[in-house]
Amino acid sequence: MQYSKSTDYALHALLHMAHTRRRDNIGIKELAASLGVSESYLSKIMSKLRQDGIVRAVPGANGGYELAKPPGRITFLDVVRVIEGRQRLFECSNANSRQHRMLAEESGSEPAGDLPDSDECLVKQVMDGAERHLHQYLQEHTIQSLLDAAASRERSRTAGRK
Amino acid sequence: MQYSKSTDYALHALLHMAHTRRRDNIGIKELAASLGVSESYLSKIMSKLRQDGIVRAVPGANGGYELAKPPGRITFLDVVRVIEGRQRLFECSNANSRQHRMLAEESGSEPAGDLPDSDECLVKQVMDGAERHLHQYLQEHTIQSLLDAAASRERSRTAGRK
DNA sequence: TTATTATGGATATTCGATATCCATAATAAA
DNA sequence: TTTATTATGGATATCGAATATCCATAATAA
């Protein structure tokens, strides 16, 4: 289980845009060259970011992309959600298995009507908790966090110089 | 990004083994039937669990599988690691990109010799943090947690009965 | 000896991730 | 208005991992 390269590209593209801040926007050509990725593929990713309101796009000569929000308001979770989609970290494919029926019967739920829901799966409940933890962390980190980290790294280097 | 079905099968198989505790072991036939999965496929998964010392296997008539440790010592992280492998949650595929070279220069690192390591990628550093959080959570939850949750669910149901 | 059961190799299939090409629309510059 | 530039989105191709099955073999109990 691994985040896709697309997520990697998206995050690096946003970092690049936030880092090399200037008045005009950045074309896909420069962006792709900077990241070492093909323009074709990166443009798909940028389109997704635009559709989700993370970046703005201007077609035509001297067009390109720019951040649609301040870097502090673009969280890692935002990016992951757009690129990776909304699928859950874990899905129980055994909802109607004999095991779940057994557990449901034991706990004495009414036999009529209520099929054992996937939400009743104990394994999934734990995994959903894991997903919540992961997402909370991703929500607490933004593109601005990257800029801060870069600045901090710079500072410590300068201070430690002989 | 999603945990594989194999992880789902593995966790449910372990829950089944821990739940229907008896003196003898459980054959792949019964296990597969309970989970609604093919014996062929499940046996691959069980082999992995055996190689990692999570279950024991006995071939021959009346053979089968049994837990090799108490349920409280089998963590979700153990299972995930065995089934999903050791690959990281995030890999930076841009380590030698122009962006990373720029950031490296800015921070004034020596130009000679030290190529920008993947570990120096700011994006990856955040993602590594996310992975640590996720793994910590998974390590805190065991097969025993599932048994406890089942018992707790049973208790609350019984208490709330009219 | 025989029946049962796990093991592991080989192989097939499916599907999402990755990637590219091209026609089109939109915009700025000339 | 014309032209060049740039983003957009559809179509398509490729690749690899996940999923799944089959079968020969080894190990064990009856």
Side-chain angles (χ1 to χ4, degrees):
Chain A
M1 186 193 60
Q2 192 173 57
Y3 282 118
S4 66
K5 285 190 179 185
S6 293
T7 294
D8 179 291
Y9 298 155
L11 287 168
H12 278 94
L14 292 171
L15 171 56
H16 183 91
M17 294 167 69
H19 188 253
T20 70
R21 263 226 179 293
R22 26 172 162 156
R23 57 196 175 296
D24 54 347
N25 40 31
I26 307 178
I28 190 75
K29 193 165 294 191
E30 176 182 343
L31 211 46
S34 170
L35 301 187
V37 188
S38 83
E39 302 173 24
S40 324
Y41 195 49
L42 186 58
S43 67
K44 304 289 185 188
I45 294 164
M46 297 309 294
S47 282
K48 282 191 184 177
L49 295 178
R50 182 190 63 80
Q51 287 169 19
D52 202 64
I54 294 177
V55 303
R56 267 190 295 268
V58 180
N62 287 336
Y65 300 95
E66 60 182 0
L67 296 185
K69 314 182 208 175
R73 287 191 45 228
I74 303 175
T75 73
F76 272 58
L77 183 59
D78 294 334
V79 180
V80 164
R81 281 221 170 109
V82 173
I83 304 299
E84 302 280 333
R86 293 281 181 161
Q87 70 179 348
R88 307 298 301 272
L89 185 67
F90 183 88
E91 287 296 340
C92 174
S93 54
N94 299 342
N96 275 25
S97 72
R98 196 205 294 181
Q99 176 178 15
H100 283 133
R101 287 200 301 277
M102 277 176 54
L103 285 169
E105 283 166 21
E106 263 181 36
S107 67
S109 58
E110 288 82 42
D114 54 350
L115 295 172
D117 190 352
S118 167
D119 295 344
E120 294 182 13
C121 173
L122 298 172
V123 176
K124 178 159 174 57
Q125 282 179 12
V126 170
M127 286 303 217
D128 282 353
E131 186 177 25
R132 277 195 300 275
H133 267 242
L134 176 62
H135 282 187
Q136 182 185 341
Y137 181 95
L138 293 177
Q139 198 163 25
E140 289 167 354
H141 289 78
T142 67
I143 302 300
Q144 182 65 48
S145 309
L146 298 175
L147 298 179
D148 296 345
S152 162
R153 175 188 288 182
E154 160 87 13
R155 223 175 11 258
S156 71
R157 259 230 138 260
T158 309
R161 192 170 296 168
K162 305 168 194 167
Chain B
M1 187 192 60
Q2 193 174 58
Y3 282 118
S4 66
K5 285 190 179 186
S6 294
T7 294
D8 179 291
Y9 298 154
L11 287 168
H12 277 94
L14 292 170
L15 172 56
H16 183 91
M17 294 167 71
H19 188 254
T20 70
R21 264 225 177 293
R22 26 174 162 154
R23 57 198 175 293
D24 54 348
N25 41 29
I26 306 178
I28 191 73
K29 193 164 292 190
E30 175 182 344
L31 212 46
S34 171
L35 300 187
V37 188
S38 83
E39 303 172 25
S40 324
Y41 195 50
L42 186 57
S43 68
K44 304 288 186 190
I45 294 165
M46 297 309 294
S47 281
K48 282 191 185 178
L49 295 178
R50 183 190 62 82
Q51 286 168 21
D52 202 64
I54 294 178
V55 303
R56 267 190 296 267
V58 180
N62 287 335
Y65 300 95
E66 60 182 359
L67 296 184
K69 315 181 208 175
R73 288 191 45 227
I74 303 175
T75 74
F76 271 58
L77 183 59
D78 294 333
V79 179
V80 164
R81 281 222 169 108
V82 173
I83 304 299
E84 302 280 333
R86 292 281 181 159
Q87 68 179 349
R88 307 298 300 272
L89 185 67
F90 182 88
E91 287 297 339
C92 174
S93 54
N94 298 343
N96 275 24
S97 73
R98 196 206 294 181
Q99 177 178 16
H100 283 133
R101 286 199 301 277
M102 278 175 53
L103 285 169
E105 283 166 21
E106 262 180 37
S107 67
S109 57
E110 290 82 41
D114 54 350
L115 294 173
D117 191 353
S118 167
D119 295 343
E120 294 182 12
C121 173
L122 298 172
V123 176
K124 177 157 175 59
Q125 282 179 15
V126 170
M127 286 304 216
D128 282 353
E131 186 176 26
R132 277 194 300 275
H133 267 242
L134 177 61
H135 282 187
Q136 183 185 341
Y137 181 95
L138 293 176
Q139 198 163 23
E140 290 167 353
H141 289 78
T142 66
I143 301 300
Q144 182 66 45
S145 309
L146 298 174
L147 298 179
D148 295 345
S152 163
R153 174 189 287 182
E154 160 86 13
R155 220 173 15 253
S156 71
R157 259 231 136 261
T158 310
R161 192 170 294 167
K162 307 164 195 171

